[in-house]
């Protein structure tokens, strides 16, 4: 049987989990991979696995690997084989020159100015979803996080409103087929959805009349200056935007809600209502619950990382999740402490949730804006966490919640008003005295 796409990465991650004494698909590991990642990063920053693959856990070492041209994919153009044994299907799997060329074509569509232009729409989607959530028991992931992430991606891809219901259905299946063994639906349904997804963009490309210029899709369709346009490249890029942006944003939104609602004495919501601190809240969630746990690379030449020799072709796993809780960089790395991002100096060390170097996440500004605006809207009708268990996705690369049970409050309840300086006018509920 032919090897499945993504298999070498999955095997290496599986080996790492085993090496750390757990099983990849164990619900206990999915719920809390840090129980083995944190002791491993404390032990040493770089671990050589029995197969020869190298797991990089320390913050400094991860940052080095992500920024150093000695680590990459080994493919310079689309559809070449990478050193990880995969066919390069997007810019994420390319090294220069292909990466530089493709990235420069789409980067300007993710500039801060462009992204800020989406703010109103993110708030409108969030408000509409919140209005739809009936009072009582609910699940934050399907009720709010998933539909919001999908609407935002649809805005970015320029999907027309009349096509969104069908598009969302197919796009969800396409995403399910990406990260093995996440497949809960049969392969055939996924293959059909993938076909319709590509067909949709083919049709859009064929029908494009060169006038509308307001979305990424249209901008990409304009093609390079010389008028040439590679349809495969365009479709590949749209697939990447969906795959890179959907699960990760759902994960960020759900973990943000979990941390903010779970903080004692209403402290989380008080911070979320403070315009001067809301960005620190989101940064801390990104650090503490890195949606992308690993950013796989191969050594493209013989090299060394933290004194460990790495031969060309070696699979290298920079574990962003471990690096973001490296005790050598963060005090109390497992604690939710947004204020650490307000400090300057080493205490504010940059987390690696969006990667670093040439492949730094193109959607970082959009993801931050989405989480901040969603949180602002949710603060008007904050759902409460329940005691029911939360469930995690069975994914290799992206760690995200599949279910986060909540209770939605009545619609008429509104949040305490905030002063113009952002401080809550009504005090958060008093914390009960700690038990003796
Ligand atoms: C919380 C949300 C997100 C997280 C945590 C995240 C994380 C990451 C990480 C870690 C990388 C680098 C991977 C590597 O170096 O191998 C990356 C790359 C990328 N991300 Fe994101 N991402 C998020 C949201 C988004 C969104 C919303 C979009 C666009 C709609 C997006 C588009 C991309 C693209 C295009 C790349 C590839 C960049 C390149 O290869 O040059 N991401 N992301």
């Amino acid at each position: 049987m032919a090897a499945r796409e993504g298999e070498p990465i999955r095997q290496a991650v599986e080996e790492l989990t085993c090496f750390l004494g757990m099983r990849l698909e164990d619900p206990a590991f999915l719920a809390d991979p840090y129980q083995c990642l944190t002791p491993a990063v404390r032990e040493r920053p770089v671990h050589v696995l029995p197969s020869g693959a190298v797991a990089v856990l320390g913050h400094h070492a991860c940052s080095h690997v992500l920024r150093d041209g000695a680590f990459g994919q080994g493919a310079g153009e689309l559809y070449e084989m990478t050193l990880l044994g995969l066919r390069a299907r997007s810019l994420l799997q390319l090294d220069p020159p292909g990466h530089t060329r493709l990235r420069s074509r789409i980067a300007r569509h993710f500039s801060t100015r462009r992204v800020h232009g989406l703010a109103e729409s993110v708030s409108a989607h969030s408000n509409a979803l919140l209005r739809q959530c009936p009072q009582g028991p609910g699940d934050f992931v399907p009720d709010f996080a998933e539909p919001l992430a999908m609407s935002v991606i649809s805005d970015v891809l320029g999907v027309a409103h009349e096509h969104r219901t069908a598009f969302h259905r197919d796009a969800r299946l396409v995403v399910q087929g990406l990260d093995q063994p996440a497949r809960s639906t049969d392969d055939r349904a996924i293959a059909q959805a993938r076909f319709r997804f590509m067909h949709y963009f083919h049709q859009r490309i064929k029908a494009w009349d060169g006038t509308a210029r307001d979305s990424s899709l249209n901008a990409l369709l304009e093609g390079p200056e010389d008028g040439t346009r590679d349809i495969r490249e365009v479709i590949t890029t749209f697939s990447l935007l969906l795959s890179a942006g959907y699960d990760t944003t759902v994960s960020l939104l759900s973990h943000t809600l979990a941390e903010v609602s779970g903080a004692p004495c209403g402290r989380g919501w008080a911070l979320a209502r403070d315009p001067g601190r809301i960005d620190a809240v989101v940064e801390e969630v990104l650090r503490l619950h890195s949606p992308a746990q690993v950013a796989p690379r191969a050594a493209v030449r013989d090299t060394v990382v933290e004194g460990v020799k790495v031969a060309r072709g070696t699979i290298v796993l920079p574990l962003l999740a471990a690096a973001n809780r490296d005790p050598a960089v963060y005090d109390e790395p497992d604690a939710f402490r947004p204020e650490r991002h307000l400090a300057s100096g080493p205490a504010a060390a940059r987390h690696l949730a969006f990667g670093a170097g040439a492949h730094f996440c193109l959607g970082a500004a959009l993801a931050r804006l989405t989480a901040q605006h969603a949180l602002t809207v949710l603060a008007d009708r904050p759902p409460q966490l329940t005691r029911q268990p939360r469930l995690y996705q069975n994914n290799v690369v992206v760690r995200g919640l599949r279910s986060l049970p909540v209770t939605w409050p009545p619609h008429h309840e509104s949040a305490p008003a905030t002063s113009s300086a952002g401080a809550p006018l009504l005090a958060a509920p008093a914390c009960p005295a700690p038990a003796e």
Side-chain angles (χ1 to χ4, degrees), residues 66 73 90-94 99 103 106 110 152-153 156-157 237 240-253 286 289-297 320 352-364 366-368 370:
L66 295 172
Q73 307 288 339
S90 73
L91 73 136
L92 194 51
Q93 292 150 316
L94 291 181
H99 177 261
R103 183 168 168 121
I106 58 170
F110 288 91
V152 173
I153 296 278
V156 169
L157 299 182
T237 302
L240 171 67
L241 295 177
L242 171 68
S243 60
Y246 176 69
D247 269 349
T248 46
T249 303
V250 173
S251 170
L252 173 59
L253 290 169
L286 284 160
H289 300 285
S290 307
Q293 300 260 292
V294 55
R297 296 285 189 276
L320 310 178
L352 296 173
F354 291 117
H359 290 276
F360 181 81
C361 177
L362 268 178
L366 177 60
R368 287 175 161 132
T370 303

